[in-house]
CSV table of all heavy atoms in Angstrom, one decimal:
chain,number,residue,atom,x,y,z
H,1,MET,N,0.9,-1.2,0.0
H,1,MET,CA,0.0,0.0,0.0
H,1,MET,C,0.9,1.2,0.0
H,1,MET,O,1.8,1.4,0.8
H,1,MET,CB,-0.9,0.0,1.2
H,1,MET,CG,-1.9,1.1,1.3
H,1,MET,SD,-3.1,0.8,2.5
H,1,MET,CE,-3.1,2.3,3.3
H,2,GLN,N,0.6,2.1,-0.9
H,2,GLN,CA,1.4,3.3,-1.0
H,2,GLN,C,0.8,4.5,-0.2
H,2,GLN,O,-0.4,4.5,0.0
H,2,GLN,CB,1.5,3.8,-2.5
H,2,GLN,CG,2.4,2.8,-3.3
H,2,GLN,CD,2.5,3.4,-4.7
H,2,GLN,OE1,1.5,3.9,-5.2
H,2,GLN,NE2,3.6,3.1,-5.3
H,3,CYS,N,1.7,5.3,0.2
H,3,CYS,CA,1.2,6.5,1.0
H,3,CYS,C,0.9,7.7,0.0
H,3,CYS,O,1.6,8.1,-0.8
H,3,CYS,CB,2.3,7.0,1.9
H,3,CYS,SG,1.9,8.4,2.9
H,4,VAL,N,-0.3,8.1,0.1
H,4,VAL,CA,-0.9,9.1,-0.8
H,4,VAL,C,-0.1,10.4,-0.7
H,4,VAL,O,0.2,11.1,-1.7
H,4,VAL,CB,-2.4,9.3,-0.6
H,4,VAL,CG1,-2.9,10.5,-1.4
H,4,VAL,CG2,-3.2,8.0,-0.8
H,5,PHE,N,0.3,10.7,0.5
H,5,PHE,CA,1.1,11.9,0.8
H,5,PHE,C,2.4,11.9,0.0
H,5,PHE,O,2.7,12.9,-0.7
H,5,PHE,CB,1.3,12.2,2.3
H,5,PHE,CG,2.2,13.3,2.6
H,5,PHE,CD1,1.9,14.6,2.4
H,5,PHE,CD2,3.5,13.0,3.1
H,5,PHE,CE1,2.8,15.6,2.6
H,5,PHE,CE2,4.4,14.0,3.3
H,5,PHE,CZ,4.1,15.3,3.1
H,6,TRP,N,3.1,10.9,0.1
H,6,TRP,CA,4.4,10.8,-0.5
H,6,TRP,C,4.3,10.7,-2.0
H,6,TRP,O,5.2,11.2,-2.7
H,6,TRP,CB,5.3,9.6,0.0
H,6,TRP,CG,5.7,9.9,1.5
H,6,TRP,CD1,5.4,9.2,2.6
H,6,TRP,CD2,6.6,10.9,1.9
H,6,TRP,NE1,5.9,9.8,3.7
H,6,TRP,CE2,6.7,10.8,3.3
H,6,TRP,CE3,7.2,12.0,1.3
H,6,TRP,CZ2,7.4,11.7,4.1
H,6,TRP,CZ3,7.9,12.9,2.1
H,6,TRP,CH2,8.0,12.7,3.4
H,7,ASP,N,3.2,10.1,-2.5
H,7,ASP,CA,3.0,10.2,-3.9
H,7,ASP,C,2.8,11.5,-4.4
H,7,ASP,O,3.3,12.0,-5.5
H,7,ASP,CB,1.8,9.3,-4.3
H,7,ASP,CG,2.0,7.8,-4.1
H,7,ASP,OD1,3.2,7.4,-4.1
H,7,ASP,OD2,1.0,7.1,-4.1
H,8,ALA,N,2.1,12.3,-3.7
H,8,ALA,CA,1.8,13.7,-4.1
H,8,ALA,C,3.1,14.5,-4.0
H,8,ALA,O,3.4,15.4,-4.9
H,8,ALA,CB,0.8,14.4,-3.1
H,9,VAL,N,3.9,14.3,-3.0
H,9,VAL,CA,5.2,15.0,-2.9
H,9,VAL,C,6.1,14.6,-4.1
H,9,VAL,O,6.7,15.5,-4.8
H,9,VAL,CB,6.0,14.6,-1.6
H,9,VAL,CG1,7.4,15.2,-1.6
H,9,VAL,CG2,5.2,15.2,-0.4
H,10,TYR,N,6.2,13.4,-4.5
H,10,TYR,CA,7.0,12.9,-5.6
H,10,TYR,C,6.5,13.5,-6.9
H,10,TYR,O,7.3,14.0,-7.7
H,10,TYR,CB,6.9,11.4,-5.7
H,10,TYR,CG,7.6,10.8,-6.9
H,10,TYR,CD1,9.0,10.7,-6.9
H,10,TYR,CD2,7.0,10.4,-8.0
H,10,TYR,CE1,9.7,10.1,-7.9
H,10,TYR,CE2,7.7,10.0,-9.2
H,10,TYR,CZ,9.0,9.9,-9.1
H,10,TYR,OH,9.7,9.4,-10.2
H,11,ARG,N,5.2,13.5,-7.1
H,11,ARG,CA,4.6,14.2,-8.3
H,11,ARG,C,5.0,15.6,-8.4
H,11,ARG,O,5.3,16.2,-9.5
H,11,ARG,CB,3.1,13.9,-8.4
H,11,ARG,CG,2.7,12.6,-8.9
H,11,ARG,CD,1.2,12.5,-9.2
H,11,ARG,NE,0.3,13.0,-8.1
H,11,ARG,CZ,-0.1,12.4,-7.1
H,11,ARG,NH1,0.2,11.1,-7.0
H,11,ARG,NH2,-0.9,12.9,-6.2
H,12,PHE,N,4.9,16.4,-7.3
H,12,PHE,CA,5.1,17.8,-7.3
H,12,PHE,C,6.7,18.0,-7.6
H,12,PHE,O,6.9,18.9,-8.4
H,12,PHE,CB,4.9,18.3,-5.9
H,12,PHE,CG,5.2,19.8,-5.7
H,12,PHE,CD1,4.4,20.8,-6.2
H,12,PHE,CD2,6.4,20.2,-5.1
H,12,PHE,CE1,4.8,22.1,-6.2
H,12,PHE,CE2,6.7,21.5,-5.0
H,12,PHE,CZ,5.9,22.4,-5.5
H,13,VAL,N,7.5,17.2,-7.0
H,13,VAL,CA,8.9,17.4,-7.3
H,13,VAL,C,9.3,17.1,-8.7
H,13,VAL,O,10.0,17.8,-9.4
H,13,VAL,CB,9.8,16.5,-6.3
H,13,VAL,CG1,11.2,16.5,-6.7
H,13,VAL,CG2,9.6,17.1,-4.9
H,14,THR,N,8.8,16.0,-9.3
H,14,THR,CA,9.1,15.6,-10.6
H,14,THR,C,8.6,16.6,-11.7
H,14,THR,O,9.1,16.8,-12.7
H,14,THR,CB,8.6,14.2,-10.9
H,14,THR,OG1,7.2,14.0,-10.7
H,14,THR,CG2,9.4,13.1,-10.1
H,15,ARG,N,7.4,17.2,-11.3
H,15,ARG,CA,6.9,18.2,-12.3
H,15,ARG,C,7.7,19.5,-12.3
H,15,ARG,O,7.7,20.2,-13.2
H,15,ARG,CB,5.4,18.5,-11.9
H,15,ARG,CG,4.4,17.6,-12.4
H,15,ARG,CD,3.0,18.1,-12.2
H,15,ARG,NE,2.3,17.1,-11.4
H,15,ARG,CZ,1.6,17.4,-10.4
H,15,ARG,NH1,1.5,18.6,-9.9
H,15,ARG,NH2,1.0,16.4,-9.7
H,16,ASN,N,8.3,19.8,-11.2
H,16,ASN,CA,9.1,21.1,-11.0
H,16,ASN,C,10.5,21.0,-11.0
H,16,ASN,O,11.2,22.0,-10.9
H,16,ASN,CB,8.6,21.7,-9.8
H,16,ASN,CG,7.1,22.1,-9.8
H,16,ASN,OD1,6.7,23.0,-10.6
H,16,ASN,ND2,6.3,21.4,-9.1
H,17,VAL,N,11.1,19.8,-11.1
H,17,VAL,CA,12.6,19.6,-11.1
H,17,VAL,C,13.3,20.5,-12.2
H,17,VAL,O,14.4,21.0,-11.9
H,17,VAL,CB,13.0,18.2,-11.1
H,17,VAL,CG1,12.8,17.5,-12.4
H,17,VAL,CG2,14.4,18.1,-10.5
H,18,GLU,N,12.7,20.5,-13.3
H,18,GLU,CA,13.4,21.3,-14.4
H,18,GLU,C,13.4,22.8,-14.2
H,18,GLU,O,14.4,23.4,-14.5
H,18,GLU,CB,12.7,21.0,-15.8
H,18,GLU,CG,12.8,19.6,-16.2
H,18,GLU,CD,11.9,19.3,-17.4
H,18,GLU,OE1,11.2,20.1,-17.9
H,18,GLU,OE2,11.9,18.1,-17.8
H,19,ARG,N,12.5,23.3,-13.5
H,19,ARG,CA,12.4,24.7,-13.2
H,19,ARG,C,13.4,25.1,-12.2
H,19,ARG,O,13.9,26.2,-12.1
H,19,ARG,CB,11.0,25.1,-12.7
H,19,ARG,CG,10.0,25.0,-13.8
H,19,ARG,CD,8.6,25.2,-13.4
H,19,ARG,NE,8.5,26.2,-12.4
H,19,ARG,CZ,7.4,26.5,-11.7
H,19,ARG,NH1,6.3,25.8,-12.0
H,19,ARG,NH2,7.3,27.4,-10.8
H,20,ILE,N,13.8,24.1,-11.3
H,20,ILE,CA,14.8,24.4,-10.3
H,20,ILE,C,16.1,24.9,-10.8
H,20,ILE,O,16.7,25.9,-10.4
H,20,ILE,CB,15.0,23.2,-9.3
H,20,ILE,CG1,13.7,23.0,-8.5
H,20,ILE,CG2,16.1,23.5,-8.4
H,20,ILE,CD1,13.7,21.6,-7.8
H,21,GLY,N,16.6,24.2,-11.9
H,21,GLY,CA,17.9,24.5,-12.5
H,21,GLY,C,17.8,25.5,-13.5
H,21,GLY,O,18.9,26.0,-14.0
H,22,SER,N,16.6,26.0,-13.9
H,22,SER,CA,16.5,27.0,-15.0
H,22,SER,C,17.0,28.4,-14.5
H,22,SER,O,17.3,29.2,-15.4
H,22,SER,CB,15.1,27.1,-15.5
H,22,SER,OG,14.2,27.6,-14.5
H,23,GLY,N,17.0,28.7,-13.2
H,23,GLY,CA,17.4,30.0,-12.7
H,23,GLY,C,16.4,31.1,-13.1
H,23,GLY,O,16.8,32.2,-13.4
H,24,ALA,N,15.1,30.9,-13.1
H,24,ALA,CA,14.2,31.9,-13.5
H,24,ALA,C,14.3,33.0,-12.5
H,24,ALA,O,14.4,32.8,-11.2
H,24,ALA,CB,12.8,31.3,-13.4
H,25,SER,N,14.3,34.3,-13.0
H,25,SER,CA,14.5,35.4,-12.1
H,25,SER,C,13.2,35.8,-11.4
H,25,SER,O,13.4,36.2,-10.2
H,25,SER,CB,15.0,36.6,-13.0
H,25,SER,OG,14.0,36.9,-14.0
H,26,GLU,N,12.1,35.7,-11.9
H,26,GLU,CA,10.9,36.1,-11.2
H,26,GLU,C,10.0,34.9,-11.0
H,26,GLU,O,9.7,34.1,-11.9
H,26,GLU,CB,10.0,37.0,-12.1
H,26,GLU,CG,10.2,38.5,-11.9
H,26,GLU,CD,10.1,38.9,-10.4
H,26,GLU,OE1,9.1,38.7,-9.8
H,26,GLU,OE2,11.1,39.5,-9.9
H,27,PRO,N,9.7,34.6,-9.8
H,27,PRO,CA,8.8,33.4,-9.5
H,27,PRO,C,7.4,33.7,-10.0
H,27,PRO,O,6.8,34.8,-10.0
H,27,PRO,CB,8.7,33.3,-8.0
H,27,PRO,CG,9.2,34.6,-7.5
H,27,PRO,CD,10.0,35.3,-8.5
H,28,SER,N,6.7,32.7,-10.5
H,28,SER,CA,5.3,32.7,-11.0
H,28,SER,C,4.4,32.9,-9.8
H,28,SER,O,4.7,32.7,-8.7
H,28,SER,CB,5.0,31.6,-11.8
H,28,SER,OG,5.0,30.4,-11.0
H,29,ASP,N,3.1,33.1,-10.1
H,29,ASP,CA,2.1,33.2,-9.1
H,29,ASP,C,1.9,31.9,-8.4
H,29,ASP,O,1.8,31.8,-7.2
H,29,ASP,CB,0.7,33.6,-9.8
H,29,ASP,CG,0.7,35.0,-10.2
H,29,ASP,OD1,1.5,35.8,-9.6
H,29,ASP,OD2,-0.1,35.4,-11.0
H,30,ALA,N,2.0,30.8,-9.2
H,30,ALA,CA,2.0,29.4,-8.5
H,30,ALA,C,3.1,29.3,-7.6
H,30,ALA,O,2.9,28.7,-6.5
H,30,ALA,CB,2.0,28.4,-9.6
H,31,ASP,N,4.3,29.7,-7.9
H,31,ASP,CA,5.5,29.5,-7.0
H,31,ASP,C,5.2,30.4,-5.8
H,31,ASP,O,5.6,29.9,-4.7
H,31,ASP,CB,6.7,30.1,-7.8
H,31,ASP,CG,7.2,29.2,-8.9
H,31,ASP,OD1,6.8,28.0,-8.9
H,31,ASP,OD2,7.9,29.7,-9.7
H,32,ARG,N,4.7,31.6,-5.9
H,32,ARG,CA,4.4,32.3,-4.7
H,32,ARG,C,3.4,31.7,-3.8
H,32,ARG,O,3.6,31.8,-2.6
H,32,ARG,CB,3.9,33.7,-5.1
H,32,ARG,CG,5.0,34.6,-5.7
H,32,ARG,CD,4.5,36.1,-6.0
H,32,ARG,NE,5.4,36.9,-6.7
H,32,ARG,CZ,5.4,37.1,-8.0
H,32,ARG,NH1,4.4,36.6,-8.7
H,32,ARG,NH2,6.4,37.8,-8.6
H,33,LYS,N,2.4,31.1,-4.4
H,33,LYS,CA,1.4,30.4,-3.5
H,33,LYS,C,2.0,29.3,-2.8
H,33,LYS,O,1.8,29.1,-1.6
H,33,LYS,CB,0.2,29.9,-4.4
H,33,LYS,CG,-0.6,31.0,-4.9
H,33,LYS,CD,-1.8,30.5,-5.7
H,33,LYS,CE,-2.6,31.6,-6.3
H,33,LYS,NZ,-3.7,31.1,-7.2
H,34,VAL,N,2.8,28.5,-3.5
H,34,VAL,CA,3.5,27.4,-2.8
H,34,VAL,C,4.5,27.8,-1.7
H,34,VAL,O,4.5,27.3,-0.6
H,34,VAL,CB,4.3,26.5,-3.8
H,34,VAL,CG1,5.2,25.5,-3.2
H,34,VAL,CG2,3.3,25.8,-4.8
H,35,LEU,N,5.2,28.9,-2.0
H,35,LEU,CA,6.1,29.4,-0.9
H,35,LEU,C,5.4,30.0,0.2
H,35,LEU,O,5.8,29.8,1.4
H,35,LEU,CB,7.1,30.5,-1.6
H,35,LEU,CG,8.2,30.0,-2.5
H,35,LEU,CD1,8.9,31.1,-3.1
H,35,LEU,CD2,9.2,29.1,-1.6
H,36,ARG,N,4.3,30.7,0.0
H,36,ARG,CA,3.5,31.2,1.1
H,36,ARG,C,2.9,30.1,1.9
H,36,ARG,O,3.0,30.1,3.2
H,36,ARG,CB,2.3,32.0,0.5
H,36,ARG,CG,1.4,32.6,1.6
H,36,ARG,CD,0.5,33.6,1.0
H,36,ARG,NE,-0.5,34.1,2.0
H,36,ARG,CZ,-0.3,35.0,2.9
H,36,ARG,NH1,0.9,35.6,3.0
H,36,ARG,NH2,-1.2,35.3,3.7
H,37,LYS,N,2.4,29.0,1.3
H,37,LYS,CA,1.9,27.9,2.1
H,37,LYS,C,3.0,27.2,2.8
H,37,LYS,O,2.9,26.8,4.0
H,37,LYS,CB,1.3,26.9,1.1
H,37,LYS,CG,0.6,25.7,1.8
H,37,LYS,CD,-0.5,26.1,2.6
H,37,LYS,CE,-1.3,24.9,3.2
H,37,LYS,NZ,-2.3,25.3,4.2
H,38,LEU,N,4.2,27.1,2.3
H,38,LEU,CA,5.3,26.5,2.9
H,38,LEU,C,5.7,27.3,4.2
H,38,LEU,O,5.9,26.7,5.2
H,38,LEU,CB,6.6,26.4,2.0
H,38,LEU,CG,7.9,26.0,2.6
H,38,LEU,CD1,7.8,24.5,3.1
H,38,LEU,CD2,9.0,26.1,1.6
H,39,HIS,N,5.8,28.6,4.0
H,39,HIS,CA,6.1,29.5,5.2
H,39,HIS,C,5.0,29.4,6.3
H,39,HIS,O,5.4,29.3,7.5
H,39,HIS,CB,6.4,30.9,4.7
H,39,HIS,CG,7.6,31.0,3.9
H,39,HIS,ND1,7.7,32.1,3.1
H,39,HIS,CD2,8.7,30.3,3.8
H,39,HIS,CE1,8.9,32.0,2.5
H,39,HIS,NE2,9.5,30.9,2.9
H,40,GLN,N,3.8,29.3,5.9
H,40,GLN,CA,2.7,29.2,6.9
H,40,GLN,C,2.8,27.9,7.6
H,40,GLN,O,2.6,27.8,8.9
H,40,GLN,CB,1.3,29.3,6.2
H,40,GLN,CG,1.0,30.7,5.7
H,40,GLN,CD,-0.3,30.7,4.8
H,40,GLN,OE1,-0.7,29.6,4.4
H,40,GLN,NE2,-0.8,31.9,4.6
H,41,THR,N,3.1,26.9,6.9
H,41,THR,CA,3.3,25.5,7.5
H,41,THR,C,4.4,25.5,8.5
H,41,THR,O,4.3,24.9,9.6
H,41,THR,CB,3.4,24.5,6.4
H,41,THR,OG1,2.3,24.5,5.5
H,41,THR,CG2,3.5,23.0,7.0
H,42,ILE,N,5.6,26.0,8.1
H,42,ILE,CA,6.8,26.0,9.0
H,42,ILE,C,6.4,26.8,10.2
H,42,ILE,O,6.8,26.4,11.3
H,42,ILE,CB,8.0,26.6,8.2
H,42,ILE,CG1,8.4,25.7,7.1
H,42,ILE,CG2,9.1,27.0,9.1
H,42,ILE,CD1,9.5,26.3,6.2
H,43,LYS,N,5.8,28.0,10.1
H,43,LYS,CA,5.4,28.7,11.3
H,43,LYS,C,4.5,27.9,12.2
H,43,LYS,O,4.7,27.9,13.4
H,43,LYS,CB,4.7,30.0,10.9
H,43,LYS,CG,4.4,30.9,12.1
H,43,LYS,CD,3.7,32.2,11.6
H,43,LYS,CE,3.4,33.1,12.7
H,43,LYS,NZ,3.2,32.6,14.1
H,44,LYS,N,3.4,27.3,11.6
H,44,LYS,CA,2.5,26.5,12.4
H,44,LYS,C,3.2,25.3,13.2
H,44,LYS,O,3.0,25.1,14.3
H,44,LYS,CB,1.4,25.9,11.6
H,44,LYS,CG,0.5,25.0,12.3
H,44,LYS,CD,-0.7,24.7,11.5
H,44,LYS,CE,-1.8,23.8,12.3
H,44,LYS,NZ,-1.7,23.8,13.7
H,45,ILE,N,4.1,24.7,12.4
H,45,ILE,CA,4.8,23.5,13.0
H,45,ILE,C,5.7,24.0,14.2
H,45,ILE,O,5.9,23.4,15.3
H,45,ILE,CB,5.7,22.8,12.0
H,45,ILE,CG1,4.8,22.0,11.1
H,45,ILE,CG2,6.7,21.9,12.6
H,45,ILE,CD1,5.5,21.4,9.9
H,46,THR,N,6.4,25.2,13.9
H,46,THR,CA,7.3,25.7,15.0
H,46,THR,C,6.5,26.1,16.2
H,46,THR,O,6.9,25.8,17.3
H,46,THR,CB,8.0,27.0,14.4
H,46,THR,OG1,8.8,26.5,13.2
H,46,THR,CG2,9.0,27.6,15.4
H,47,ASP,N,5.4,26.8,16.0
H,47,ASP,CA,4.5,27.2,17.1
H,47,ASP,C,4.0,26.0,17.9
H,47,ASP,O,4.0,25.9,19.2
H,47,ASP,CB,3.4,28.0,16.7
H,47,ASP,CG,3.8,29.4,16.1
H,47,ASP,OD1,4.9,29.8,16.4
H,47,ASP,OD2,3.0,30.0,15.5
H,48,ASP,N,3.5,25.0,17.2
H,48,ASP,CA,2.9,23.7,17.8
H,48,ASP,C,4.0,23.0,18.6
H,48,ASP,O,3.8,22.5,19.7
H,48,ASP,CB,2.3,22.9,16.8
H,48,ASP,CG,0.9,23.4,16.3
H,48,ASP,OD1,0.4,24.3,17.0
H,48,ASP,OD2,0.4,22.8,15.4
H,49,PHE,N,5.2,22.9,18.0
H,49,PHE,CA,6.2,22.1,18.6
H,49,PHE,C,6.9,22.8,19.8
H,49,PHE,O,7.1,22.2,20.8
H,49,PHE,CB,7.3,21.7,17.5
H,49,PHE,CG,8.3,20.8,18.1
H,49,PHE,CD1,8.1,19.4,18.3
H,49,PHE,CD2,9.6,21.2,18.4
H,49,PHE,CE1,8.9,18.6,18.8
H,49,PHE,CE2,10.5,20.4,19.0
H,49,PHE,CZ,10.2,19.1,19.1
H,50,GLU,N,7.2,24.1,19.6
H,50,GLU,CA,7.9,24.8,20.7
H,50,GLU,C,7.0,25.1,21.9
H,50,GLU,O,7.4,25.1,23.0
H,50,GLU,CB,8.5,26.1,20.2
H,50,GLU,CG,9.7,25.8,19.3
H,50,GLU,CD,10.3,27.1,18.8
H,50,GLU,OE1,9.7,28.2,18.9
H,50,GLU,OE2,11.4,27.0,18.2
H,51,SER,N,5.8,25.4,21.7
H,51,SER,CA,4.9,25.9,22.8
H,51,SER,C,4.1,24.7,23.4
H,51,SER,O,3.9,24.7,24.6
H,51,SER,CB,3.9,27.0,22.3
H,51,SER,OG,3.1,26.5,21.3
H,52,ARG,N,3.7,23.8,22.6
H,52,ARG,CA,2.8,22.7,23.1
H,52,ARG,C,3.2,21.3,22.9
H,52,ARG,O,2.6,20.4,23.4
H,52,ARG,CB,1.4,22.9,22.5
H,52,ARG,CG,0.8,24.3,22.7
H,52,ARG,CD,-0.5,24.4,22.0
H,52,ARG,NE,-0.4,24.2,20.6
H,52,ARG,CZ,-1.5,24.1,19.8
H,52,ARG,NH1,-2.7,24.2,20.3
H,52,ARG,NH2,-1.3,23.9,18.5
H,53,TRP,N,4.3,21.1,22.2
H,53,TRP,CA,4.8,19.7,21.9
H,53,TRP,C,3.7,18.8,21.2
H,53,TRP,O,3.6,17.7,21.6
H,53,TRP,CB,5.4,19.1,23.2
H,53,TRP,CG,6.7,19.6,23.6
H,53,TRP,CD1,6.9,20.9,23.9
H,53,TRP,CD2,7.9,18.9,23.7
H,53,TRP,NE1,8.2,21.1,24.3
H,53,TRP,CE2,8.9,19.9,24.1
H,53,TRP,CE3,8.3,17.6,23.5
H,53,TRP,CZ2,10.2,19.5,24.3
H,53,TRP,CZ3,9.6,17.3,23.7
H,53,TRP,CH2,10.5,18.2,24.1
H,54,HIS,N,3.0,19.4,20.3
H,54,HIS,CA,1.9,18.7,19.6
H,54,HIS,C,2.5,18.1,18.3
H,54,HIS,O,2.4,18.7,17.3
H,54,HIS,CB,0.7,19.6,19.3
H,54,HIS,CG,-0.1,19.9,20.5
H,54,HIS,ND1,-1.3,20.5,20.4
H,54,HIS,CD2,0.1,19.7,21.9
H,54,HIS,CE1,-1.8,20.7,21.7
H,54,HIS,NE2,-0.9,20.2,22.5
H,55,PHE,N,3.0,16.9,18.5
H,55,PHE,CA,3.6,16.2,17.3
H,55,PHE,C,2.6,15.8,16.2
H,55,PHE,O,2.9,16.0,15.1
H,55,PHE,CB,4.3,14.9,17.8
H,55,PHE,CG,5.5,15.2,18.7
H,55,PHE,CD1,5.4,14.9,20.1
H,55,PHE,CD2,6.6,15.8,18.2
H,55,PHE,CE1,6.4,15.2,20.9
H,55,PHE,CE2,7.7,16.1,19.1
H,55,PHE,CZ,7.6,15.8,20.4
H,56,ASN,N,1.4,15.4,16.7
H,56,ASN,CA,0.4,15.0,15.7
H,56,ASN,C,-0.1,16.2,14.8
H,56,ASN,O,-0.3,16.0,13.6
H,56,ASN,CB,-0.8,14.4,16.4
H,56,ASN,CG,-0.5,13.0,17.0
H,56,ASN,OD1,0.5,12.4,16.6
H,56,ASN,ND2,-1.3,12.6,17.9
H,57,THR,N,-0.2,17.4,15.4
H,57,THR,CA,-0.7,18.5,14.6
H,57,THR,C,0.5,18.9,13.7
H,57,THR,O,0.2,19.5,12.6
H,57,THR,CB,-1.1,19.7,15.5
H,57,THR,OG1,0.0,20.0,16.4
H,57,THR,CG2,-2.3,19.3,16.2
H,58,CYS,N,1.7,18.7,14.1
H,58,CYS,CA,2.8,19.0,13.2
H,58,CYS,C,2.8,18.1,11.9
H,58,CYS,O,3.0,18.6,10.8
H,58,CYS,CB,4.2,18.9,13.9
H,58,CYS,SG,4.5,20.0,15.3
H,59,ILE,N,2.7,16.8,12.2
H,59,ILE,CA,2.6,15.9,11.0
H,59,ILE,C,1.4,16.2,10.1
H,59,ILE,O,1.5,16.2,8.9
H,59,ILE,CB,2.5,14.5,11.6
H,59,ILE,CG1,3.8,14.1,12.3
H,59,ILE,CG2,2.2,13.5,10.5
H,59,ILE,CD1,3.8,12.9,13.1
H,60,ALA,N,0.2,16.5,10.8
H,60,ALA,CA,-1.0,16.8,10.0
H,60,ALA,C,-0.7,18.1,9.1
H,60,ALA,O,-1.2,18.2,8.0
H,60,ALA,CB,-2.2,17.1,10.9
H,61,ALA,N,0.0,19.1,9.7
H,61,ALA,CA,0.3,20.3,8.9
H,61,ALA,C,1.1,20.1,7.7
H,61,ALA,O,0.9,20.7,6.7
H,61,ALA,CB,0.9,21.3,9.9
H,62,VAL,N,2.1,19.2,7.9
H,62,VAL,CA,2.9,18.8,6.8
H,62,VAL,C,2.2,18.1,5.6
H,62,VAL,O,2.4,18.3,4.4
H,62,VAL,CB,4.1,17.9,7.2
H,62,VAL,CG1,4.9,17.4,6.0
H,62,VAL,CG2,5.0,18.7,8.1
H,63,MET,N,1.2,17.3,6.1
H,63,MET,CA,0.4,16.5,5.1
H,63,MET,C,-0.7,17.3,4.4
H,63,MET,O,-1.3,16.8,3.5
H,63,MET,CB,-0.1,15.2,5.8
H,63,MET,CG,1.1,14.3,6.2
H,63,MET,SD,0.5,12.9,7.0
H,63,MET,CE,-0.2,12.0,5.7
H,64,GLU,N,-1.0,18.5,4.9
H,64,GLU,CA,-2.0,19.3,4.3
H,64,GLU,C,-1.7,19.6,2.8
H,64,GLU,O,-0.5,19.7,2.5
H,64,GLU,CB,-2.2,20.6,5.0
H,64,GLU,CG,-3.3,20.6,6.0
H,64,GLU,CD,-3.4,22.0,6.7
H,64,GLU,OE1,-3.1,23.0,6.0
H,64,GLU,OE2,-3.7,22.0,7.8
H,65,ARG,N,-2.6,19.9,2.0
H,65,ARG,CA,-2.4,20.3,0.7
H,65,ARG,C,-2.8,21.7,0.4
H,65,ARG,O,-3.6,22.3,1.0
H,65,ARG,CB,-3.2,19.4,-0.4
H,65,ARG,CG,-2.7,18.0,-0.4
H,65,ARG,CD,-3.4,17.3,-1.4
H,65,ARG,NE,-2.9,15.9,-1.4
H,65,ARG,CZ,-3.1,15.1,-2.3
H,65,ARG,NH1,-3.7,15.5,-3.4
H,65,ARG,NH2,-2.7,13.9,-2.3
């Protein structure tokens, strides 16, 4: 049985791997949305872990889409 989360991560990386090396100067709107979501997730995980030690909510935040 495959993990749906890791499948989604793999698909995202393989779709975007060519853009990583291209050195695009301006990020697209889609890139900005992904980075914003990434930063929000990192903040949530940091807050949950440092203040309350809530490991389950940290894992759930990483698995959100």
Side-chain angles (χ1 to χ4, degrees):
M1 186 165 130
Q2 292 181 324
C3 180
V4 175
F5 170 71
W6 290 116
D7 288 342
V9 170
Y10 178 79
R11 283 191 308 273
F12 176 78
V13 170
T14 55
R15 276 190 240 133
N16 294 290
V17 73
E18 293 172 3
R19 293 176 34 191
I20 293 169
S22 69
S25 59
E26 268 308 302
S28 68
D29 287 339
D31 292 337
R32 286 188 189 98
K33 287 179 184 178
V34 169
L35 285 174
R36 181 170 171 80
K37 184 64 174 174
L38 173 64
H39 291 160
Q40 289 171 343
T41 303
I42 291 170
K43 183 179 180 339
K44 178 172 179 22
I45 289 170
T46 301
D47 292 344
D48 284 349
F49 186 75
E50 287 181 349
S51 64
R52 303 180 300 171
W53 287 60
H54 286 191
F55 298 108
N56 290 341
T57 58
C58 293
I59 293 168
V62 170
M63 294 178 69
E64 264 182 31
R65 291 188 185 196

